[in-house]
Amino acid sequence: MPFDIKTLEFHKIRQAIDGFAQTKRGKLLVAALNPLSAKAKETIEENLTETLEAKRYIEEGLEPSFGGIYDIRDAVKRAKIEGVLSIKELLDIKGILIATKRIKKELLRLSERLDETIGIERYSEALITLKDLHQSIDQIINDAGEIRDSASSELSRIRRALEINERNIKQALDQVLRKEAKKLTEQIITFRMNRYVVPVKISEKNNIKGTILDYSSSGETAYVEPESIRNLTSKKEALHAEENREIEKILYILTLQVKDDAEVILENANVLAHLDCLFAKARYAHKTESVKPILSNRIHLIKARHPLIDPSEVVANTITFDEDVKTMIITGSNTGGKTVTLKTLGLIAIMAQSGCLIPATQGSEIIAFDQIRADIGDEQSIEQSLSTFSSHMNNIVSILSTITANSLILLDELGSGTDPNEGASLAMSILEYLSNKSVYVMATTHYPELKAYAYTKPSIVNASVEFDKKTLKPTYRLLLRTPGESHALLIARRLGLNETIIEDAKKRVLTSETEVNELIENLKNESQKLDALLTENDSLRRRLEDELKDAKRIRKKMQDDAATLKDRIALENKREIDQLKTEAQGIIEALDQMKTKSFKEHEIAELKYRIRNLNTDQEIDEAEIAEHVLNAGDRVYVKKYNRYGELIEKQKNNQWVVQMGALRSVFKTTELSYAEDQSKKPVSKQSHQKSMPKKSVPSELDLRGMRAHEAEEAVIKYLDDCIVTDMPFASIIHGYGTLALRKMVKKLVSEHSGVQSHRDGKGNEGGQGVTIIYFK
């Protein structure tokens, strides 16, 4: 296999994710999780993005529920060949239908909250609800898994007959219990061979008419089916047989409905299983505080953690391959974390290519590899020890035979298990071979020759696991660009080895190794400086991320405050306008009470008009007007007639009754605009030239009581005044009488050049006693 899943323990990651899956099929998909090849890099990116989006649902508390979902594939396949489905199978299918409808809605909640597009919402569109099938199953099978009486008229008839038969049996048995009480061992009714029986004393078994179906274990009681219920019991069995046949027919009809929707049901089930697996990965990522890696052309894992080590104990390390570096050689003391670092890199790479988020810090980068191979042989192995030289070589031979340029190779204790000189030489040759293949390699070793070898190759970098010389314990921190020491003599002294032996061993250490160790010491300062710069850079990056979050939060707060302020201003404006109208209405009522002979009716009406519109010259924010909801009593602008009116009453079909002077008519809402919206009011040339009309002309002329020649002069003058003041319409009240005034008015308005049309008033306008005139 191109990926050493067992060696790097990815199967344990799958087991951990499995604990978060809620459905059988979701667990099967988790068990099938495998890394994709680098050729499928786009798919890997899509899978990682989906997992990240699913994690956002969890962080927002909006993850969908996958309860009540069963594996219905076999049932649906059987329905496709018209094999009658059982009640349980149909209820399982109903569970899929319910889950489909529920999850389809739940997937849309995150984008509604965040007001942004979420990629995995496309699965909501892929889920198709089957309302008719759901209703059919629901109408036939109740939640307890029983066929409803109403499932068919025939079933309803059969069950009514069963109820009647059951009552007759009970009555007959009660009669036997009363009549034959002395012959019975107990006053009870029981069952034998699925038939009703009564317990009869053995001495009385021939004194009760019926059939003996069984005896008690003691032999003292005979269980007799009374003759009086034999036919009733047989009828009951026959009715049950009819019931079962009818239920079979009903289930067959439901099966045919499932057959018709089989492909949709199966596709829905596939989508739900995929989503369950996806959200299981997301839950695991949320628990392990994992992030989406950037798929790039380099390895740069920031504060990477081995996901299988206790979070309270694991040490996070930054694993970085600088530009042009393809090989990292890790040295250091035993049990210092070298092998864990190897496994961390390999496991994280496999997780990423399997669509799992990785336990590292945001901004981490990883390569999509063709192969991830590992030769790891220590006590941390899964099945066997690979510590012998031959075992190592078998693995390495297998790895070298299949590698590509885009491979990641992990080699633990390279060259160990044989003569140190030969082992070191062999290790350098293997690394040289891999380097020429441009393969990414991470290897661990104790050979000092490999440390020196690394400094001669620009594509190889040294690294080590830190060892605290004061406590003589490893810290498990990875030190980049710094080779390590085994510290065997220090550890031996700490463990109590004789000092004479230790001093003698120091003298026997090879000079070349001493030189290498001196080189190590000289390079440590440089490495520490670089590590400090990396730490500072990481701190700055986190600070920038925090500041960006604060900026977004402040921006959102400002937007919310602006919206709140706008609502408050609109409310205050409305309150002020309402107050002005209330005061004006009080003035109008006072004027009504003060009418005297010195006041003319049309002057009072004009005064009322001006008072009602005290606030019309005020500029109102367009956004406020656009949001205004029309109400009875509002002053509106009638676009059709270029004039103002007052809303009287709302009608059906979104229409309003509008009072314009003496004229009352019905208009659609689209033909009206709130009178405060001055921007919509057309401005005539005359209004540009004059700030207000020269004279006020009443909207109606009353001719009643006038003589014919007086009325004619009044009409001509009134018509001229209306045209001069650009009135859209007017009313002339002439009454009924002899109809002479009416005819005269009709003749004058018909001949006048400024009149566009005229008509009789409607019932609420005065009928034929009024003529309504519309001007050009």
Side-chain angles (χ1 to χ4, degrees):
M1 285 183 64
F3 300 95
D4 286 330
I5 288 174
K6 267 200 169 183
T7 303
L8 295 170
E9 302 178 303
F10 180 64
H11 63 289
K12 292 185 178 180
I13 299 297
R14 288 191 298 216
Q15 290 171 3
I17 296 173
D18 177 87
F20 292 102
Q22 300 179 38
T23 69
K24 180 181 177 181
R25 285 199 64 197
K27 289 178 180 291
L28 290 174
L29 291 180
V30 169
L33 280 176
N34 277 310
L36 300 178
S37 170
K39 295 177 181 178
K41 185 176 179 180
E42 290 185 4
T43 303
I44 295 172
E45 180 67 36
E46 287 178 8
N47 292 343
L48 288 169
T49 300
E50 284 189 351
T51 308
L52 177 63
E53 290 180 339
K55 182 168 172 269
R56 293 186 70 185
Y57 278 85
I58 295 167
E59 291 168 345
E60 294 289 335
L62 298 175
E63 63 174 305
S65 168
F66 293 90
I69 298 176
Y70 302 93
D71 189 353
I72 46 81
R73 288 175 296 176
D74 291 342
V76 176
K77 288 176 183 176
R78 196 147 51 81
K80 291 172 73 173
I81 59 173
E82 298 187 9
V84 179
L85 300 181
S86 67
I87 291 175
K88 182 184 181 306
E89 289 171 326
L90 287 165
L91 286 178
D92 287 349
I93 290 172
K94 176 186 170 183
I96 289 285
L97 302 179
I98 293 171
T100 297
K101 181 180 178 181
R102 180 183 69 246
I103 294 173
K104 184 179 179 71
K105 290 181 179 178
E106 290 175 342
L107 286 176
L108 301 176
R109 295 186 299 183
L110 184 61
S111 62
E112 291 172 358
R113 174 176 293 185
L114 301 180
D115 194 23
E116 61 182 77
T117 303
I118 306 298
I120 59 176
E121 281 188 356
R122 66 179 181 275
Y123 292 114
S124 176
E125 298 176 5
L127 291 171
I128 300 172
T129 55
L130 297 171
K131 183 179 178 181
D132 292 342
L133 178 59
H134 181 190
Q135 287 181 342
S136 295
I137 296 175
D138 208 34
Q139 289 169 357
I140 290 172
I141 306 173
N142 63 23
D143 293 336
E146 301 168 339
I147 302 293
R148 300 181 191 273
D149 295 351
S150 57
S152 75
S153 57
E154 179 64 12
L155 183 63
S156 179
R157 181 195 66 77
I158 293 170
R159 287 184 172 173
R160 284 198 302 272
L162 276 168
E163 288 177 6
I164 293 170
N165 189 72
E166 196 70 30
R167 285 197 299 270
N168 292 338
I169 290 174
K170 187 176 183 303
Q171 290 173 0
L173 287 170
D174 287 343
Q175 189 175 359
V176 170
L177 291 177
R178 288 194 303 272
K179 185 178 178 182
E180 308 289 352
K182 294 181 179 180
K183 301 175 183 178
L184 304 178
T185 57
E186 291 182 86
Q187 291 277 4
I188 62 169
I189 301 168
T190 185
F191 279 93
R192 287 293 186 275
M193 300 173 63
N194 202 32
R195 299 175 78 86
Y196 289 106
V197 294
V198 292
V200 180
K201 296 175 183 177
I202 197 69
S203 59
E204 301 288 342
K205 66 178 183 178
N206 295 322
N207 297 326
I208 291 183
K209 292 183 179 180
T211 303
I212 299 173
L213 297 182
D214 197 7
Y215 290 94
S216 67
S217 57
S218 65
E220 296 296 323
T221 303
Y223 293 101
V224 177
E225 179 185 30
E227 189 178 77
S228 58
I229 68 163
R230 185 181 303 158
N231 291 336
L232 291 173
T233 302
S234 298
K235 183 178 180 182
K236 174 184 176 182
E237 291 175 348
L239 286 171
H240 275 308
E242 284 185 55
E243 180 186 34
N244 291 334
R245 286 193 295 273
E246 182 62 21
I247 287 174
E248 188 79 2
K249 291 179 184 178
I250 293 168
L251 294 178
Y252 179 70
I253 292 171
L254 278 180
T255 299
L256 293 180
Q257 285 187 257
V258 172
K259 176 186 176 182
D260 292 341
D261 294 322
E263 297 305 324
V264 175
I265 295 170
L266 289 174
E267 183 57 30
N268 283 345
N270 291 338
V271 172
L272 293 174
H274 174 75
L275 287 171
D276 185 31
C277 175
L278 174 61
F279 276 91
K281 291 191 295 180
R283 292 184 197 100
Y284 177 74
H286 181 66
K287 178 185 177 183
T288 56
E289 298 181 2
S290 296
V291 301
K292 177 181 177 291
I294 300 168
L295 295 182
S296 67
N297 58 0
R298 71 164 183 154
I299 299 173
H300 178 56
L301 301 176
I302 307 169
K303 293 188 176 180
R305 310 178 304 279
H306 195 292
L308 298 178
I309 298 177
D310 189 331
S312 63
E313 298 178 3
V314 68
V315 176
N317 282 305
T318 297
I319 303 173
T320 298
F321 283 64
D322 293 332
E323 190 176 358
D324 298 329
V325 171
K326 291 292 186 73
T327 301
M328 181 182 292
I329 298 175
I330 305 176
T331 51
S333 61
N334 286 321
T335 68
K338 299 190 300 296
T339 303
V340 169
T341 303
L342 248 67
K343 286 188 172 183
T344 299
L345 173 58
L347 185 53
I348 281 179
I350 287 179
M351 288 176 68
Q353 290 182 229
S354 302
C356 300
L357 305 188
I358 64 171
T361 299
Q362 197 72 40
S364 295
E365 301 177 45
I366 194 68
I367 298 169
F369 294 104
D370 293 331
Q371 298 184 31
I372 300 175
R373 303 299 307 276
D375 172 45
I376 297 176
D378 61 7
E379 68 278 7
Q380 299 174 59
S381 298
I382 303 299
E383 292 180 344
Q384 59 179 329
S385 171
L386 300 177
S387 59
T388 65
F389 178 75
S390 58
S391 295
H392 278 298
M393 283 302 104
N394 281 333
N395 284 340
I396 291 173
V397 168
S398 172
I399 290 170
L400 296 181
S401 65
T402 61
I403 59 170
T404 65
N406 188 35
S407 297
L408 173 63
I409 310 300
L410 306 170
L411 303 171
D412 191 29
E413 301 295 350
L414 181 60
S416 65
T418 187
D419 177 79
N421 289 331
E422 290 184 359
S425 299
L426 186 59
M428 284 188 282
S429 296
I430 291 171
L431 291 176
E432 185 74 20
Y433 178 82
L434 292 172
S435 180
N436 291 335
K437 293 284 187 180
S438 295
V439 175
Y440 277 90
V441 179
M442 179 181 277
T444 68
T445 185
H446 285 283
Y447 292 137
E449 293 88 346
L450 266 63
K451 306 172 190 176
Y453 168 73
Y455 282 111
T456 67
K457 299 290 182 179
S459 62
I460 302 177
V461 66
N462 271 309
S464 63
V465 286
E466 188 179 48
F467 185 84
D468 190 333
K469 291 183 178 180
K470 293 181 180 179
T471 62
L472 298 181
K473 292 182 180 179
T475 65
Y476 305 106
R477 287 185 60 240
L478 180 67
L479 303 177
L480 298 174
R481 293 169 295 279
T482 303
E485 302 174 60
S486 296
H487 301 290
L489 300 181
L490 286 173
I491 294 173
R493 175 179 284 138
R494 177 175 175 270
L495 294 175
L497 187 65
N498 188 287
E499 190 65 27
T500 302
I501 298 174
I502 292 173
E503 290 301 323
D504 185 60
K506 283 184 178 180
K507 296 174 184 178
R508 296 175 184 273
V509 175
L510 296 175
T511 303
S512 59
E513 184 174 350
T514 304
E515 292 173 351
V516 170
N517 289 336
E518 288 177 357
L519 177 61
I520 291 171
E521 290 297 326
N522 292 333
L523 291 171
K524 278 187 177 179
N525 290 334
E526 179 186 351
S527 175
Q528 289 171 355
K529 290 178 182 178
L530 289 172
D531 285 341
L533 288 174
L534 284 172
T535 303
E536 183 181 359
N537 178 67
D538 186 49
S539 177
L540 287 171
R541 181 186 57 77
R542 287 199 305 271
R543 192 183 308 162
L544 284 172
E545 288 177 353
D546 292 341
E547 289 177 356
L548 181 60
K549 288 180 182 177
D550 289 341
K552 288 181 178 179
R553 179 180 54 77
I554 292 170
R555 180 183 176 187
K556 187 176 186 305
K557 186 177 183 302
M558 290 176 67
Q559 290 174 341
D560 293 342
D561 290 346
T564 302
L565 182 60
K566 177 182 173 183
D567 292 340
R568 189 181 303 151
I569 291 172
L571 184 63
E572 289 176 356
N573 284 343
K574 185 177 183 303
R575 191 182 295 118
E576 290 178 4
I577 292 171
D578 290 343
Q579 185 178 353
L580 284 171
K581 287 186 175 180
T582 301
E583 293 174 1
Q585 189 61 41
I587 297 172
I588 292 171
E589 292 173 359
L591 287 172
D592 284 338
Q593 295 172 3
M594 293 170 58
K595 289 182 184 178
T596 63
K597 292 182 179 179
S598 60
F599 285 90
K600 293 185 178 179
E601 196 69 29
H602 71 274
E603 291 175 340
I604 293 176
E606 184 67 24
L607 183 58
K608 288 180 179 181
Y609 175 83
R610 291 179 181 176
I611 292 173
R612 286 194 184 99
N613 295 278
L614 284 173
N615 205 45
T616 56
D617 292 333
Q618 243 183 311
E619 290 188 3
I620 304 296
D621 180 62
E622 288 187 5
E624 178 189 342
I625 294 167
E627 295 172 0
H628 182 81
V629 178
L630 295 178
N631 295 296
D634 283 351
R635 184 166 178 264
V636 293
Y637 175 71
V638 185
K639 303 172 187 177
K640 185 175 181 180
Y641 297 116
N642 195 28
R643 278 299 176 265
Y644 294 97
E646 185 178 346
L647 296 181
I648 303 302
E649 182 183 4
K650 190 170 185 179
Q651 303 287 304
K652 294 181 180 178
N653 301 323
N654 214 19
Q655 293 181 327
W656 282 90
V657 176
V658 181
Q659 183 77 43
M660 294 178 290
L663 176 64
R664 178 177 293 194
S665 190
V666 178
F667 298 94
K668 294 179 180 178
T669 303
T670 54
E671 297 175 322
L672 308 172
S673 63
Y674 188 48
E676 303 299 338
D677 191 356
Q678 297 296 322
S679 61
K680 294 182 180 179
K681 179 179 177 181
V683 183
S684 64
K685 293 180 180 179
Q686 187 179 10
S687 65
H688 280 296
Q689 298 167 358
K690 307 172 186 179
S691 61
M692 61 181 293
K694 291 181 178 180
K695 61 187 297 182
S696 176
V697 178
S699 59
E700 61 184 33
L701 175 64
D702 192 348
L703 302 180
R704 289 173 297 183
M706 294 187 186
R707 297 181 181 275
H709 68 277
E710 291 175 341
E712 183 174 356
E713 290 178 2
V715 170
I716 294 172
K717 182 178 183 302
Y718 181 66
L719 293 176
D720 291 341
D721 288 344
C722 288
I723 291 171
V724 168
T725 55
D726 199 25
M727 289 181 67
F729 55 83
S731 303
I732 299 179
I733 303 171
H734 42 67
Y736 293 93
T738 60
L739 300 183
L741 284 178
R742 180 176 180 274
K743 291 179 181 179
M744 180 270 292
V745 170
K746 296 288 186 184
K747 180 175 180 299
L748 288 175
V749 298
S750 298
E751 295 174 349
H752 201 288
S753 60
V755 175
Q756 181 176 358
S757 63
H758 62 87
R759 64 174 174 81
D760 290 335
K762 295 180 181 178
N764 60 351
E765 296 171 335
Q768 292 186 350
V770 176
T771 296
I772 308 297
I773 307 160
Y774 297 94
F775 298 100
K776 294 180 179 179

